[in-house]
Amino acid sequence: MGPPAPDVDYKAGPHPVATVELDEQPGLRYTSTVINCPTDKIQIGMRIQLAWIERYGAPYPVFEPLREA
Amino acid sequence: MANIIKLRNPIKDKIAIVGIGSTGFSKEGNERSRGSLAAEASIKAIRDAGLTAKDIDGVVATAHAPWWMVSALGLPSVRHYTSHPMPLVLGITDAMNAVFSGSADHVLVYHAVYRTPATSRAAYADPFRRKLGFGGTDPFMPERFDPENIAGGTGYTMWASRYEHEYGNVREAMAHIAVNSRTGATQNPLAAVRDPMTFDDYWKARMVREPMSVFDMDLPVDGGDAFVITTAERARDLPGKPVYIHAATTGIVARNQEDMIPGLHNHGQHRAIETLRGKSDIWIPDIDVYFPYDGFTFITLSWIENVGWCKPGEGLEFLKQHWDKEKNRLLINGKIPMNTHGGNLSEGGTQGSGHIREAVTQLRGTAGERQVSNAKTAFLTIGGMFFNAQGLVLRAD
């Protein structure tokens, strides 16, 4: 219950946090958030891709659902 | 566990806990400093052991520095002083080894907890606490704070979600653990919250981080616990009933951070249990009282399964099968209670010191209305799943 965190909309419901394993190296994991996806649609095992947002005036890596090529 | 690998344990039963002290715990009010709480618990523990300041030649600390305590208590002859991270089995193990090796003869171990902005709204509103870090130490605000950090509670949220994904019914299992702890606290004068809790109360609790509600997370409290440790031989000359350290261990895997452990079936708890099994002559179900860590209810569920009370994924079935409806608590095989003091969830979040102090109290036979009849052995599985899993087996004559 500390100070508000950046990029969290406290009125929008839960802020998703996801640990992602990279195809390039099994066991290598990265924890961030998932954007462009309703929170209740985020599932273990879903395919995602890297995306970037601006935070503290710098790029910050996040994930979004995979867009099929 | 199919294969037991016996391990050396030359220290078995040779070191004893001979003093305990506690301030009791509160989740509101309190205008005292964390240091004064640690000092009060320490003074009580030294007196409880029948010793004085000049006898204490070892000081093992967690957050409040050992040199601060040496100065605060005016300890004139300290020759071993160390600090450790939490939970407290790290400190107990260090004190045990220090006494066994001859580094010191009478070691004080203490741990104080303090509400901070990260866990308490009231602490955030208090200007004297606003900048405190976890446990009351470093400045809380790093230069950069991203909400996607999964240290602490968020990490357990994610692994609880993983359990739900693999087995389902995780909240129903966690409900039993929360209710059991509260039932213990109703009989513990040191506990911060003593009102009984029903399953209905649990299901109505405010959700904090799905699937964990406010009742799945330990209580931020102020307070302190302390212990005095010496040799079993020396313990016989002291006034209290000694409690012997039968086996102690800590457990860790190579990749141990919150998002890096290999999975639910291979983490620190598995290593701690293997080692404890190899060192201890005492094992479940032949114990009198069980103390699994409950900083988060999911940790307790994980310990219950990993110790081997039941198979992975069968925690809920186990909890239901051994649930005493009339007493509103777990009573394994009709006789072994769990977290009789209320645990981190209801006595207060003490990072293991409460479990250890209550185990000693039970083995001394001084637990009052919550006393487990003729308790001789206590089994403790302390800490979480990542870099902080620990085990302790205590016994009394």
Side-chain angles (χ1 to χ4, degrees):
Chain A
M1 295 306 134
D7 290 331
V8 177
D9 180 353
Y10 286 84
K11 291 184 181 133
H15 179 76
V17 180
T19 295
V20 167
E21 188 168 72
L22 303 190
D23 281 347
E24 288 80 356
Q25 185 182 330
L28 176 60
R29 299 176 192 162
Y30 191 85
T31 300
S32 184
T33 191
V34 176
I35 62 168
N36 299 331
C37 183
T39 303
D40 60 1
K41 298 287 185 249
I42 301 171
Q43 298 289 326
I44 289 172
M46 77 185 278
R47 306 288 298 164
I48 45 77
Q49 63 185 20
L50 180 65
W52 295 91
I53 60 170
E54 280 273 307
R55 184 181 290 167
Y56 298 113
Y60 183 78
V62 299
F63 299 97
E64 63 182 354
L66 182 67
R67 285 191 300 269
E68 298 299 337
Chain B
M1 215 166 294
N3 298 312
I4 301 164
I5 301 161
K6 288 306 265 186
L7 297 168
R8 289 192 313 120
N9 192 16
I11 206 166
K12 182 169 69 186
D13 300 331
K14 291 202 159 62
I15 305 298
I17 299 173
V18 293
I20 51 172
S22 182
T23 59
F25 299 90
S26 60
K27 67 182 188 74
E28 55 218 359
N30 181 30
E31 292 173 355
R32 292 173 57 185
S33 69
R34 188 185 56 163
S36 81
L37 296 165
E40 180 190 324
S42 296
I43 291 166
K44 283 178 169 167
I46 295 166
R47 286 184 177 153
D48 180 59
L51 297 170
T52 64
K54 67 177 172 20
D55 300 311
I56 301 298
D57 58 355
V59 177
V60 172
T62 51
H64 227 79
W67 40 90
W68 183 93
M69 186 62 78
V70 172
S71 180
L73 300 191
L75 305 178
S77 47
V78 170
R79 50 185 125 240
H80 177 91
Y81 56 99
T82 57
S83 312
H84 298 272
M86 298 163 277
L88 198 65
V89 178
L90 287 168
I92 297 286
T93 304
D94 177 49
M96 170 185 88
N97 288 329
V99 170
F100 193 63
S101 68
S103 291
D105 290 329
H106 305 108
V107 179
L108 169 70
V109 184
Y110 62 86
H111 178 52
V113 291
Y114 209 52
R115 288 169 299 129
T116 64
T119 54
S120 159
R121 238 182 264 273
Y124 183 53
D126 177 349
F128 292 99
R129 297 185 190 235
R130 194 172 290 152
K131 299 267 177 175
L132 292 177
F134 179 72
T137 46
D138 338 76
F140 167 60
M141 295 288 279
E143 285 181 15
R144 176 170 182 150
F145 176 75
D146 292 300
E148 293 84 14
N149 185 323
I150 70 159
T154 327
Y156 291 106
T157 291
M158 297 184 88
W159 286 106
S161 297
R162 180 75 204 188
Y163 186 100
E164 177 71 21
H165 175 72
E166 292 189 25
Y167 303 114
N169 296 321
V170 72
R171 289 208 73 208
E172 197 179 348
M174 295 193 305
H176 286 77
I177 289 154
V179 171
N180 177 77
S181 280
R182 183 61 63 81
T183 299
T186 62
Q187 297 179 310
N188 176 9
L190 300 174
V193 176
R194 302 188 62 192
D195 313 317
M197 186 197 290
T198 64
F199 280 87
D200 203 37
D201 295 333
Y202 177 86
W203 290 111
K204 285 182 189 152
R206 177 168 58 89
M207 182 55 69
V208 179
R209 294 188 181 108
E210 181 72 37
M212 293 207 285
S213 73
V214 71
F215 287 157
D216 292 300
M217 303 182 174
D218 60 4
L219 281 179
V221 291
D222 295 338
D225 279 316
F227 303 84
V228 175
I229 290 177
T230 188
T231 63
E233 193 181 3
R234 172 76 175 120
R236 286 191 272 277
D237 301 330
L238 296 173
K241 181 180 178 184
V243 169
Y244 304 104
I245 301 175
H246 181 76
T249 192
T250 54
I252 196 163
V253 293
R255 290 193 178 175
N256 51 67
Q257 290 93 336
E258 285 88 341
D259 45 2
M260 290 296 166
I261 58 168
L264 285 173
H265 309 292
N266 183 14
H267 51 71
Q269 291 185 349
H270 301 84
R271 298 292 87 74
I273 288 299
E274 281 166 9
T275 307
L276 210 57
R277 187 71 188 97
K279 286 175 180 282
S280 180
D281 302 332
I282 297 160
W283 202 251
I284 66 162
D286 299 318
I287 61 165
D288 295 318
V289 55
Y290 179 43
F291 293 98
Y293 196 73
D294 59 342
F296 297 98
T297 50
F298 181 67
I299 295 175
T300 315
L301 174 64
S302 181
W303 274 123
I304 287 170
E305 296 185 358
N306 291 329
V307 167
W309 287 111
C310 61
K311 293 197 177 107
E314 294 179 358
L316 174 60
E317 199 179 314
F318 172 83
L319 290 160
K320 281 174 145 172
Q321 189 186 340
H322 296 273
W323 192 259
D324 185 319
K325 280 189 181 146
E326 198 180 314
K327 296 195 169 83
N328 203 32
R329 76 186 316 168
L330 188 71
L331 220 45
I332 303 168
N333 298 331
K335 59 182 181 181
I336 306 165
M338 177 172 94
N339 290 340
T340 45
H341 61 311
N344 296 298
L345 294 165
S346 285
E347 184 192 63
T350 60
Q351 292 87 42
S353 68
H355 295 82
I356 301 167
R357 183 234 318 125
E358 173 72 357
V360 172
T361 305
Q362 289 287 353
L363 296 180
R364 284 174 159 191
T366 55
E369 62 171 327
R370 64 185 193 285
Q371 180 64 46
V372 177
S373 172
N374 200 29
K376 303 277 193 207
T377 54
F379 194 88
L380 298 88
T381 54
I382 301 300
M385 297 160 53
F386 310 126
F387 31 74
N388 48 12
Q390 316 174 335
L392 194 58
V393 181
L394 301 177
R395 56 167 286 265
D397 288 327

